[in-house]
Amino acid sequence: MYKKMLVAFDGAESSLDIVRQAARFARSENSMIDIVTVCPEYQGDLRIQGDTSVLYNMYEDIRNALNNAVSLCESEGMKVRGHFCIGNPADVLVEQITSLGCDLVALGTHSKKLLQSIVIGSVAGTVVRQTDCDLLVITGNKGLSLQSIFLAYDASAEANAAAQQASALAERYGSRLTAGIAYEMDMEAFSLSPVVERAVVEKTEQAVEAVKSIVDASDVRDFDVAVRYGNPTHEVLIEEAQKKDAGLVVIGAGVRSKLSHLLVGGVVHKLVYSSACPVLIVKEQMQ
């Protein structure tokens, strides 16, 4: 269960939906919400000229937007605090996550004002590399729902951590849980190399048994496994998630995963941008 959620909010009207969806999930988890807005420090010549009133006026709209976001959460009965910060967005967010003791960070795939290109850019990259928090990425055109959860699984340590969290959520909310296992394999390779085919089949069977073992340790009552061979992997997984009418996709990532592996061109990145619903990126905790 998540106890404290940080929501990265850029002040844009469209970002209120990110706050709204994150707040509903936080309410279900009985979590405290900290909404953090970070304005990059002004680098112009206003201070040299001694006229700081213009600088403060630049931030007024953002402050008001933050207050509106806080009011939105309060109207839904949430425990919420707003934080208006000035500085480097990536550094400030990491500092706030640590100082506030958050265990989940909610953000959107694209920020319209201050945190531009949140998933691909340096802001999220820093958050991924320097924190142990899970990330809830509000993406797609379907709102967050916990009726049907889809787990992207490949039997890695990261996937096992994601499976444990997905199982805990499914148990807590009585969700239908589907584990999707997909391998990139050209059908021609199957026909030309029986050895390769056997190896892939064995790997698949091992993955199925591994995820079943994790889920069986919980009290999830509605669980199934979808195995697909296809190329590219993320499209196969998204297709299966849509078939299951998933309202949340869960995928794992290492705590110190390199940005180039995790977010740029990797399955996580592609899955986030292709998903029709929010994606929960679960961080594998270092031993």
Side-chain angles (χ1 to χ4, degrees):
M1 182 173 288
Y2 295 108
K3 296 180 180 179
K4 282 192 174 184
M5 176 190 293
L6 184 148
V7 181
F9 177 65
D10 70 355
E13 183 70 24
S14 59
S15 294
L16 283 175
D17 185 58
I18 296 172
V19 175
R20 186 177 292 108
Q21 292 193 57
R24 289 171 182 167
F25 181 57
R27 183 173 59 187
S28 299
E29 293 284 284
N30 196 28
S31 302
M32 172 75 188
I33 283 187
D34 286 285
I35 304 176
V36 177
T37 296
V38 186
C39 289
E41 189 171 7
Y42 183 71
Q43 300 295 324
D45 60 358
L46 293 177
R47 291 191 180 115
I48 295 177
Q49 297 175 2
D51 184 3
T52 59
S53 63
V54 176
L55 182 61
Y56 290 128
N57 289 337
M58 290 172 59
Y59 295 148
E60 184 176 0
D61 288 346
I62 305 297
R63 288 181 183 274
N64 290 337
L66 175 61
N67 291 335
N68 290 338
V70 170
S71 297
L72 173 65
C73 294
E74 289 176 338
S75 69
E76 297 196 13
M78 293 299 308
K79 297 174 287 185
V80 58
R81 297 178 296 188
H83 307 265
F84 180 84
C85 307
I86 299 174
N88 178 279
D91 294 340
V92 172
L93 277 178
V94 170
E95 291 170 1
Q96 289 291 323
I97 291 167
T98 301
S99 63
L100 296 171
C102 299
D103 52 7
L104 180 64
V105 178
L107 38 74
T109 51
H110 278 61
S111 190
K112 302 301 183 184
K113 286 188 178 180
L114 302 176
L115 308 181
Q116 295 178 358
S117 194
I118 189 75
V119 171
I120 295 179
S122 61
V123 175
T126 300
V127 172
V128 167
R129 291 193 303 269
Q130 297 187 17
T131 72
D132 297 345
C133 289
D134 292 355
L135 282 80
L136 176 64
V137 185
I138 306 298
T139 187
N141 53 20
K142 181 177 181 180
L144 175 65
S145 170
L146 295 170
Q147 290 185 336
S148 177
I149 298 174
F150 185 86
L151 167 68
Y153 187 80
D154 64 1
S156 64
E158 294 92 339
N160 289 337
Q164 292 173 355
Q165 185 62 269
S167 297
L169 289 170
E171 178 180 348
R172 197 147 63 239
Y173 297 105
S175 315
R176 179 174 70 249
L177 176 61
T178 300
I181 301 174
Y183 292 107
E184 285 189 349
M185 175 55 63
D186 193 304
M187 294 307 296
E188 184 178 357
F190 274 109
S191 61
L192 295 178
S193 178
V195 174
V196 172
E197 178 182 0
R198 285 197 299 272
V200 173
V201 170
E202 289 177 2
K203 184 177 181 181
T204 302
E205 292 174 346
Q206 291 170 1
V208 170
E209 292 305 313
V211 72
K212 283 184 176 180
S213 177
I214 293 172
V215 176
D216 286 347
S218 66
D219 192 25
V220 176
R221 299 183 179 181
D222 189 354
F223 171 67
D224 67 321
V225 180
V227 177
R228 286 277 303 275
Y229 300 100
N231 187 9
T233 300
H234 74 279
E235 290 186 1
V236 172
L237 291 171
I238 290 301
E239 184 179 313
E240 289 299 320
Q242 290 175 336
K243 285 182 180 178
K244 296 296 182 179
D245 195 26
L248 180 68
V249 171
V250 182
I251 190 167
V255 167
R256 305 302 179 191
S257 295
K258 293 181 180 179
L259 182 61
S260 59
H261 170 71
L262 178 62
L263 295 180
V264 180
V267 172
V268 175
H269 165 258
K270 292 177 181 177
L271 192 148
V272 165
Y273 276 93
S274 302
S275 179
C277 66
V279 177
L280 177 63
I281 303 174
V282 176
K283 304 296 286 294
E284 179 211 1
Q285 301 302 305
M286 293 189 303
Q287 301 299 321

